[in-house]
Amino acid sequence: MIIKDKINKVITDMKPSGIRKFFDLVAQMPEAISLGVGEPDFVTPWHIRDAGIYSLEKGHTYYTSNSGLASLREEICNYLDRRFNLKYNYKNEVLVTVGGSEAIDLTIRALISNGDEVLIPQPSFVCYVPCVQMAGGVPVPIVTKEEDNFKLTPEALKKAITPKTKLLVLPYPNNPTGAIMTYDELKAIVDVLKDTDIFVMSDEIYAELTYGTKHRSIAEFPEMRDRTILVSGFSKAYAMTGWRLGYVCAHPDIIAPLTKIHQYAIMSSPTVSQYAALEAVKKGDNDIDAMVSEYNYRRKVIFEAFNQIGLECFEPLGAFYVFPSIKSTGMKSNDFCENLLKEQKVAVVPGDAFGESGEGYIRCSYAYSIEAINRALDRIDKFVSSHK
Ligand SMILES: Cc1ncc(COP(=O)(O)O)c(C=O)c1O
């Protein structure tokens, strides 16, 4: 028997993540500087870690309810109301998940079946397309352009809609471009959607990380509230990637089927992480402010440096990535990244890892120390000069 031939063909045909490939290369090169990974360099604030430790001391080592601790769900709702003016009922409109990643997977699995089309603005996070494929749906990329500041435009959305469109992924603040959508820009999207039956999965995992402009959610619009599935989590805003905790908020008729899948696949999210997250949503606002202020400083440094180096860069207003164009070098994204790693030992991610339309760009994370960023920028400058 050839085991490989027995594997589900959808999985066999799926491309491995382009981010992971560079991650693996860097792991074999300890002297390399990485701007490759989308994860805060900060350790989780102490009072949040302490709450996790204390929960273990108290013996909270059991499953929680499938939906997550009621106290955590209640505080998530208080937090969303306080920070983003979003109103959810903790009893039946919130599910605590294993990272935003599980929330995305559950949403797509619950809504999508054979042949349903899912609109995915790209460049965007790597998991949307494979999740849609695993659910038997059809991913339909919508190219967002640098001249539109990588925002989803109502014209592009209108063009992509067909009678089979079931779901729009709204990935803002955006990984990898750092683009955000303002209230007026969301309003234009709502005007296109309001007379359709299309659902929106709004991935707002970077909602807290915006610079100068407060994040707005499409769920604020009354006509969208009941068909928006809001995905968020603790990884980015609170530097809690390893705790694996996220959540999803939506109408009770959407949360119920998501909870059904979660109940069979996961049971309940990690209990220790839920206690830590409870402390984070209750008392972590100042931690977020401090980290955002540091990211903002790094953002300005890296944005200006890329433009000086001659790699034109759109100004990111959210998340912690810059997405400079490398078209002036004449290299393909993948060649640029491989050569940069070989010649100058700096790891960044090729833009096409986030969809074909990312070709001609690279993603650099500024969730690294300013020293690492400056050293990497010097080396990138040398690399670009040597290839003129
Ligand atoms: C846009 C976006 N959504 C969701 C996630 C998933 O985050 P997590 O599963 O750690 O909450 C990430 C992680 O990089 C991301 O960039």
Side-chain angles (χ1 to χ4, degrees):
M1 178 178 82
I2 300 168
I3 296 175
K4 270 206 295 201
D5 291 349
K6 299 287 181 191
I7 305 297
N8 176 344
K9 191 143 166 31
V10 176
I11 310 298
T12 311
D13 291 348
M14 196 181 285
K15 276 198 293 183
S17 157
I19 304 183
R20 282 285 135 187
K21 185 176 132 190
F22 273 84
F23 218 2
D24 295 344
L25 280 174
V26 180
Q28 299 155 19
M29 231 188 235
E31 70 282 24
I33 308 172
S34 173
L35 299 185
V37 183
E39 145 165 90
D41 59 316
F42 301 107
V43 71
T44 306
W46 168 248
H47 66 107
I48 299 174
R49 280 183 278 155
D50 196 29
I53 295 165
Y54 187 59
S55 77
L56 293 175
E57 285 177 355
K58 294 271 281 183
H60 294 315
T61 56
Y62 303 98
Y63 296 128
T64 65
S65 82
N66 293 134
S67 316
L69 290 168
S71 52
L72 174 58
R73 284 181 280 127
E74 193 170 7
E75 286 301 335
I76 288 171
C77 293
N78 290 341
Y79 172 79
L80 289 175
D81 192 7
R82 168 171 97 238
R83 195 154 186 131
F84 301 113
N85 202 23
L86 295 170
K87 300 199 178 5
Y88 287 101
N89 183 342
Y90 78 93
K91 291 188 180 141
N92 56 5
E93 293 189 318
V94 187
L95 171 65
V96 177
T97 56
V98 179
S101 301
E102 194 213 348
I104 293 168
D105 185 40
L106 290 178
T107 302
I108 292 172
R109 280 207 272 167
L111 285 174
I112 301 307
S113 49
N114 288 347
D116 287 339
E117 293 179 358
V118 180
L119 305 181
I120 305 176
Q122 285 184 339
S124 60
F125 186 45
V126 293
C127 84
Y128 310 130
V129 167
C131 283
V132 171
Q133 288 168 336
M134 283 190 282
V138 180
V140 179
I142 303 180
V143 173
T144 59
K145 301 193 183 116
E146 188 169 2
E147 70 238 39
D148 298 322
N149 292 343
F150 294 110
K151 292 168 193 279
L152 174 64
T153 64
E155 295 78 25
L157 173 61
K158 241 186 253 168
K159 254 199 225 158
I161 293 175
T162 75
K164 291 189 176 163
T165 307
K166 184 78 169 282
L167 177 69
L168 164 69
V169 177
L170 201 58
Y172 295 96
N174 184 270
N175 169 11
T177 64
I180 60 160
M181 295 281 283
T182 64
Y183 184 84
D184 289 345
E185 287 155 356
L186 288 173
K187 169 90 178 65
I189 298 301
V190 172
D191 286 342
V192 175
L193 294 175
K194 67 177 187 234
D195 299 323
T196 72
D197 286 338
I198 299 171
F199 289 93
V200 175
M201 179 177 77
S202 189
D203 182 350
E204 303 185 19
I205 196 111
Y206 295 101
E208 290 81 359
L209 310 185
T210 59
Y211 310 101
T213 311
K214 192 175 165 289
H215 173 72
R216 303 301 295 261
S217 172
I218 196 162
E220 283 178 60
F221 292 81
E223 58 272 58
M224 294 307 298
R225 163 47 168 88
D226 287 352
R227 53 189 166 116
T228 296
I229 299 98
L230 175 103
V231 167
S232 196
F234 297 86
S235 288
K236 314 291 176 173
Y238 299 99
M240 290 180 69
T241 46
W243 299 80
R244 308 308 304 125
L245 213 71
Y247 54 90
V248 49
C249 299
H251 186 278
D253 290 349
I254 298 175
I255 289 297
L258 265 64
T259 308
K260 217 193 278 180
I261 308 174
H262 173 82
Q263 168 193 310
Y264 288 125
I266 302 288
M267 198 86 89
S268 63
S269 297
T271 302
V272 58
S273 304
Q274 292 194 51
Y275 279 100
L278 179 58
E279 169 73 14
V281 270
K282 266 162 83 173
K283 298 194 189 144
D285 286 13
N286 292 341
D287 304 300
I288 297 177
D289 293 346
M291 287 188 264
V292 166
S293 145
E294 178 61 26
Y295 289 138
N296 195 20
Y297 166 60
R298 300 172 188 179
R299 180 184 72 98
K300 288 179 192 154
V301 169
I302 201 165
F303 163 65
E304 270 167 32
F306 270 114
N307 282 311
Q308 265 167 20
I309 289 169
L311 300 183
E312 243 178 63
C313 188
F314 145 83
E315 185 177 359
L317 294 177
F320 40 51
Y321 309 101
V322 275
F323 201 59
S325 165
I326 51 138
K327 289 174 187 162
S328 60
T329 67
M331 279 182 245
K332 290 275 202 194
S333 297
N334 198 65
D335 297 339
F336 183 101
C337 295
E338 277 188 13
N339 293 336
L340 177 65
L341 189 59
K342 251 189 255 151
E343 293 171 28
Q344 292 292 340
K345 303 202 169 27
V346 175
V348 298
V349 181
D352 62 340
F354 305 94
E356 274 169 35
S357 56
E359 177 54 57
Y361 298 87
I362 54 170
R363 187 194 78 172
C364 303
S365 162
Y366 50 87
Y368 287 91
S369 72
I370 193 71
E371 292 76 28
I373 290 171
N374 280 326
R375 278 196 298 136
L377 287 168
D378 276 349
R379 293 186 190 188
I380 294 171
D381 193 8
K382 277 195 199 118
F383 175 78
V384 172
S385 303
S386 71
H387 285 272
K388 270 190 178 140

